[in-house]
Amino acid sequence: MHTLYVNHINEKIARNKLARVLRRLFGRYGNVVQVTCHTNLKMKGQAFVTFQDAHSSEKAMAKLQNYPLFKQPITIAPAKSESDEILLQMGKKDLVEERKREKERRNKEREEAVEKTKTTSKASSAKLTKSQVKYWKSLPPHSVLLIQNLQDEHLPMLETMFSNFTSFETVRAIPSRKLAFINFENEDGATACLEKFDTSKLGPDVLLTYAKR
């Protein structure tokens, strides 16, 4: 095996400095062609060192096992797989390409998972609690209604939806807060709309109430 897995490295050392020191240290035992140090939390304190030939890697592992690097003994073992550099030298380009595709697939899955979490979190934070719903429903009659928890695609449709109600005047939407104010000429018009308008067609969390005075 040309590549060594180095573990238990002092995690406080900056990546660039660590790479330089590892290349110099392991370079005593042969030609180092690649040093890989990761910055993500999962891989902190770990690195991979690849030699041009397997004999050099075996020698380095024997000589540097438990070496006190940055005042902390490191452990060394053969890596589970060769580096891309060595695989290319061995003529295994197809395997390197397959690795790249797999890496891209995992990165895409992570990005999608993060985006899904953000979307779910955003939806959860927008949903009103039972006490909030109770509060909004308890507000006194008013000529202005407030509709909350709207999806972006519903905002352009509001004027058409409410225009059929008597004494309707205007809609003032606030997309960033996912709500809109529905203005009527008088309180009676707003009340009639509140009693008849079906919010279920806009989603289960949409709430239509009187606005605050």
Side-chain angles (χ1 to χ4, degrees), residues 5-18 22 36-48 69-70 72-75:
Y5 168 62
V6 188
N7 196 10
H8 298 144
I9 304 170
N10 190 323
E11 296 183 7
K12 296 180 180 179
I13 308 305
R15 184 179 66 170
N16 291 339
K17 180 179 179 180
L18 177 58
L22 288 174
T36 304
C37 306
H38 296 278
T39 56
N40 63 74
L41 188 60
K42 184 179 179 181
M43 293 297 292
K44 258 185 171 285
Q46 304 169 64
F48 294 90
L69 183 64
F70 302 112
Q72 186 168 302
I74 58 174
T75 58

Side-chain angles (χ1 to χ4, degrees), residues 46-66:
Q46 304 169 64
F48 294 90
V49 179
T50 301
F51 284 89
Q52 183 65 53
D53 63 90
H55 176 72
S56 296
S57 69
E58 292 173 3
K59 186 177 179 181
M61 182 168 61
K63 294 289 186 180
L64 296 175
Q65 193 70 259
N66 297 316

Side-chain angles (χ1 to χ4, degrees), residues 141-185:
H142 186 24
S143 63
V144 180
L145 298 181
L146 173 65
I147 188 165
Q148 304 182 64
N149 287 341
L150 292 165
Q151 297 301 312
D152 292 341
E153 62 267 25
H154 294 145
L155 294 173
M157 304 160 50
L158 293 179
E159 187 161 350
T160 300
M161 289 180 172
F162 286 97
S163 61
N164 293 326
F165 289 92
T166 303
S167 79
F168 166 78
E169 289 187 329
T170 60
V171 169
R172 181 166 66 88
I174 304 179
S176 62
R177 296 176 60 188
K178 297 188 177 300
L179 57 79
F181 292 95
I182 317 300
N183 297 281
F184 291 83
E185 292 179 7

